[in-house]
Amino acid sequence: MLFVASDALSAAYPGTRWVPMILLSVAFGMVNSVGTEIGGTLAFVLTGHLTKLTNMVFDRFSRTAGRKKLTQKDLDGAKQSAIIIGGFFSGAVFAWGLIKQFPGFLKFGTFSTMGALFGLLLIWQDRKALGAWWDKEDGELCSIDSLETTCE
């Protein structure tokens, strides 16, 4: 909703920058927080993922670093970082194609669409746990604790 509100304010008051920007800051913070909880990493910190991959390659092939063997944990981290970097560039190419096809889209609807896509992505990512919210156990709704749903 914050993404939509930012788009709506920008369209209604074209000279307004600060309030829509604050709404986007809060929205992206929320997306990052939920993404960290669900995915276990910060999705918006692209430079961190690039640094992680670069250090891993350097440690593996550099004599100075001792040509360190990669563990399964290293490979899992590399895979996660590569997926996030790939997702970033895929999103950039998708946005470029969308704006090229619909030039007016950049003036209104951009952030609303981003918010909808983030929401759908997070729902898809957490689809198994979401189903537990409306399941009933012994006639009672499942409870949600601080970590996850408890429906066992």
Side-chain angles (χ1 to χ4, degrees), residues 109-131:
T110 306
F111 294 112
S112 299
T113 303
M114 284 175 61
L117 290 173
F118 277 129
L120 290 172
L121 178 65
L122 293 174
I123 288 170
W124 177 77
Q125 184 74 24
D126 205 28
R127 62 194 176 277
K128 288 181 184 175
L130 286 173

Side-chain angles (χ1 to χ4, degrees), residues 3-148:
F3 288 101
V4 174
S6 176
D7 266 347
L9 281 172
S10 294
Y13 306 101
T16 304
R17 288 186 341 193
W18 291 106
V19 174
M21 189 170 51
I22 290 169
L23 292 173
L24 288 175
S25 296
V26 172
F28 280 117
M30 292 167 67
V31 167
N32 210 20
S33 177
V34 172
T36 302
E37 182 70 26
I38 291 174
T41 188
L42 294 169
F44 291 106
V45 189
L46 187 65
T47 54
H49 292 288
L50 288 169
T51 301
K52 185 188 297 183
L53 287 176
T54 302
N55 287 340
M56 196 176 303
V57 169
F58 180 80
D59 288 348
R60 177 65 185 111
F61 295 108
S62 169
R63 285 183 210 173
T64 306
R67 294 187 175 167
K68 184 177 129 184
K69 298 270 185 201
L70 298 178
T71 64
Q72 187 59 43
K73 184 177 178 182
D74 292 334
L75 295 173
D76 290 344
K79 179 181 172 185
Q80 185 177 42
S81 291
I83 288 170
I84 288 172
I85 292 167
F88 174 83
F89 285 110
S90 298
V93 169
F94 175 74
W96 170 79
L98 193 61
I99 290 169
K100 186 174 180 180
Q101 192 70 19
F102 306 102
F105 185 68
L106 193 56
K107 292 184 186 218
F108 182 75
T110 306
F111 294 112
S112 299
T113 303
M114 284 175 61
L117 290 173
F118 277 129
L120 290 172
L121 178 65
L122 293 174
I123 288 170
W124 177 77
Q125 184 74 24
D126 205 28
R127 62 194 176 277
K128 288 181 184 175
L130 286 173
W133 287 0
W134 51 81
D135 282 348
K136 292 189 177 186
E137 196 171 285
D138 297 328
E140 298 292 322
L141 289 174
C142 298
S143 63
I144 301 171
D145 62 13
S146 63
L147 299 175
E148 197 61 57

